[in-house]
Structure formats: C-alpha cells, structure tokens
Amino acid sequence: PCLQKKILGYFNED
Amino acid sequence: MLELRLVQGSLLKKVLESVKDLVNDANFDCSATGFSLQAMDSSHVALVALLLRSEGFEHYRCDRNLSMGMNLNNMAKMLKCAGNDDIVTIKADDGGDTVTFMFESPTQDKIADFEMKLMDIDSEHLGIPEAEFQAIVRMPSAEFARICKDLSSIGDTVVISVTKEGVKFSTRGDIGTANIVCRQNTTVDKPEDATVIEMQEPVSLTFALRYMNSFTKATPLSNQVTISLSSELPVVVEYKVAEMGYIRFYLAPKLEE
C-alpha cells in the first residue's frame, strides 16, 4: 500500500 | 487595460488542451513579467505552473497586475474556434468581468471575437523554491508519452529510477510487470531525439500514472520533456513553450506506508 502525498506537504502558501 | 497579441496563437490552444483536464478553474495572472497561471488539481496532488513571458508576445500591454479567473474548459472551447495559424489577442478591461479572445486569420480576411465571462476564484498561490535535483532526465516528449501510455495498460503507478545505467520506468499490475530502460543517447542526428541524464545521485520514486498521462497532453508543445527528480520533492515534468516560457507539472510522489 502506498500513501499518496499532497503538494501542500512540500510547498507553502505564499 | 490588458492587450496581449500572440502571433503563434496555436501555442495558447495547445496550452489549454494540456491543462483543461487537470484543472477546472484557475486564475491567469498578468504582470509586466508575463502571462502566468498556477493551479492545483482538485485532489491537491498535482500542480501546474505556466509562464508565457511578455517578450514572447508581439504586443504586450498590461497597465496593472490583473488576475482573471477562468473556467479552463470554457476557455479551451473558445480557443478551439481559433484556426491553427490564427493570431490570438487576449483583451480585458481593469475591473471588468469578461475577457475577449480575438482571432485573426494570417491574411486578415477573417476576424472573430469571443467574449467569455470571468469568475471569482479563491485560489492559494504556493511558493515554489528553486531546488537542486538528484537527477534530471531530458528525453523526447513523444517517447515519454508512449512509455506512460504503455505502462498504464499494465499498472496504476510508475516507479521512475535513475542510476548510472539510465532511467528505468517500471510498473506492476494484476497481469504482470513491465520495465522500460532508457539510456543516455546523445549521438543523434537531431538534438530533439537525444536522451540526456544528469545524475548527482541515484533516485527512485513512485507516481500515479493517471497524472503522468495527463501531463503528456502537453507533448504537442515541445519535442523534449525534462523530468526532474529528488527524493524530498515532487517530480517536475517540464515542457518548454517555444522560446517564450514553459509549462511545468509538479506531482507529489506515493510513499510506502
């Protein structure tokens, strides 16, 4: 089983 | 007042075709730098960043920074009405609630204008830092599209591994497994046929093929695609848009639980 990471876990809001 | 005249209007048509299935609504930002867009897909797993630099337009007037919310499917519908050789002009008034797309045939014998309603979109703008990647692969975009399509008939995910042997695309599914290895190849007649692998250290990451296949809709924009990989970051799949900019797709990896 793989966990799909989210973009928000890598880039922060400006 | 905003007025952007793009002689190679087909570029905008191709850009829309490549993003309309990934993102429903997005803000196009217009500034002195250029015409840009940043948006995430509805699951927040992928992000698209587009930049068309102002220098790439034949005429570029943007009196003040403007953000225009558009439904990308509707925008694509309008741009589909432009001929492939048409000159496309995007026009909008400050504070207006519509945008106009004007299409001129190369011989100026047909001029059409399509007005589209703008929408208010509350979008998050993310800061994407410049990053060092463990591996950068540059390869023919049609080859990458073929690989993603082929593998998605076998499995749902692709493992992209870069070693000194080359770049390996692997999948597994109910019917079996598949591995495709592409080696560096710079002894080609045309530079667009080259595969170039810059590896700082080996890297291996897993991604959903559904998104990769969606990114390959940008293939008509560029003969080459650049895939930048780092174990700490989303993969970046970049297509250059002629000499004027790029479309970059970011995809968060799948990790073993």
Side-chain angles (χ1 to χ4, degrees):
Chain A
C2 279
L3 174 72
Q4 175 65 64
K5 299 285 284 179
K6 304 261 183 190
I7 284 287
L8 290 165
Y10 295 92
F11 303 140
N12 296 322
E13 224 173 311
D14 259 355
Chain B
M1 173 80 183
L2 173 144
E3 200 170 281
L4 319 180
R5 183 176 155 94
L6 184 63
V7 172
Q8 217 182 328
S10 60
L11 289 178
L12 201 58
K13 285 164 70 87
K14 289 175 188 170
V15 163
L16 261 292
E17 287 306 307
S18 69
V19 294
K20 72 178 172 64
D21 295 333
L22 188 66
V23 176
N24 295 327
D25 306 318
N27 283 316
F28 278 88
D29 297 312
C30 199
S31 71
T33 312
F35 193 59
S36 65
L37 168 151
Q38 189 201 84
M40 276 185 281
D41 79 298
S42 57
S43 329
H44 290 197
V45 166
L47 179 143
V48 54
L50 164 76
L51 174 65
L52 302 176
R53 291 184 201 92
S54 51
E55 306 88 74
F57 292 83
E58 191 208 32
H59 170 71
Y60 191 93
R61 178 178 171 186
C62 175
D63 295 344
R64 64 186 68 186
N65 291 358
L66 202 59
S67 189
M68 297 184 289
M70 301 196 211
N71 175 288
L72 299 190
N73 241 309
N74 293 345
M75 186 179 173
K77 277 182 198 170
M78 294 207 163
L79 288 169
K80 264 192 178 167
C81 302
N84 279 331
D85 301 327
D86 281 2
I87 299 162
V88 173
T89 302
I90 304 169
K91 289 186 200 177
D93 290 320
D94 296 335
D97 57 2
T98 60
V99 59
T100 298
F101 302 107
M102 191 172 89
F103 310 140
E104 294 167 72
S105 66
T107 49
Q108 303 284 314
D109 55 355
K110 181 178 165 192
I111 296 171
D113 58 85
F114 289 68
E115 190 181 84
M116 190 177 84
K117 290 175 192 156
L118 294 176
M119 53 199 295
D120 285 321
I121 299 168
D122 190 17
S123 71
E124 301 148 289
H125 200 273
L126 303 181
I128 302 172
E130 286 290 317
E132 291 280 321
F133 290 94
Q134 286 165 282
I136 298 174
V137 177
R138 189 159 56 79
M139 64 189 292
S141 59
E143 183 63 46
F144 177 62
R146 173 74 197 262
I147 290 169
C148 291
K149 180 168 165 279
D150 287 350
L151 294 186
S152 61
S153 66
I154 314 286
D156 297 329
T157 59
V158 58
V159 180
I160 306 180
S161 310
V162 183
T163 62
K164 60 181 190 318
E165 307 302 322
V167 54
K168 184 168 77 169
F169 302 89
S170 311
T171 193
R172 65 174 57 241
D174 293 340
I175 63 166
T177 63
N179 297 290
I180 301 170
V181 178
C182 299
R183 294 182 201 284
Q184 171 149 300
N185 177 13
T186 52
T187 56
V188 288
D189 291 340
K190 297 183 221 153
E192 61 259 37
D193 293 334
T195 297
V196 180
I197 299 168
E198 290 170 35
M199 189 193 77
Q200 305 301 322
E201 52 187 306
V203 59
S204 181
L205 286 162
T206 305
F207 301 100
L209 272 167
R210 185 166 69 86
Y211 287 97
M212 284 293 179
N213 266 313
S214 175
F215 303 163
T216 62
K217 294 202 170 128
T219 304
L221 280 167
S222 178
N223 289 324
Q224 287 254 312
V225 61
T226 305
I227 305 157
S228 303
L229 297 147
S230 209
S231 50
E232 303 297 320
L233 290 170
V235 62
V236 189
V237 179
E238 178 181 306
Y239 297 83
K240 294 267 184 250
V241 181
E243 300 301 312
M244 66 186 303
Y246 57 77
I247 184 158
R248 290 179 185 150
F249 299 99
Y250 296 80
L251 179 60
K254 286 174 134 278
L255 299 181
E256 292 287 335
E257 277 193 87

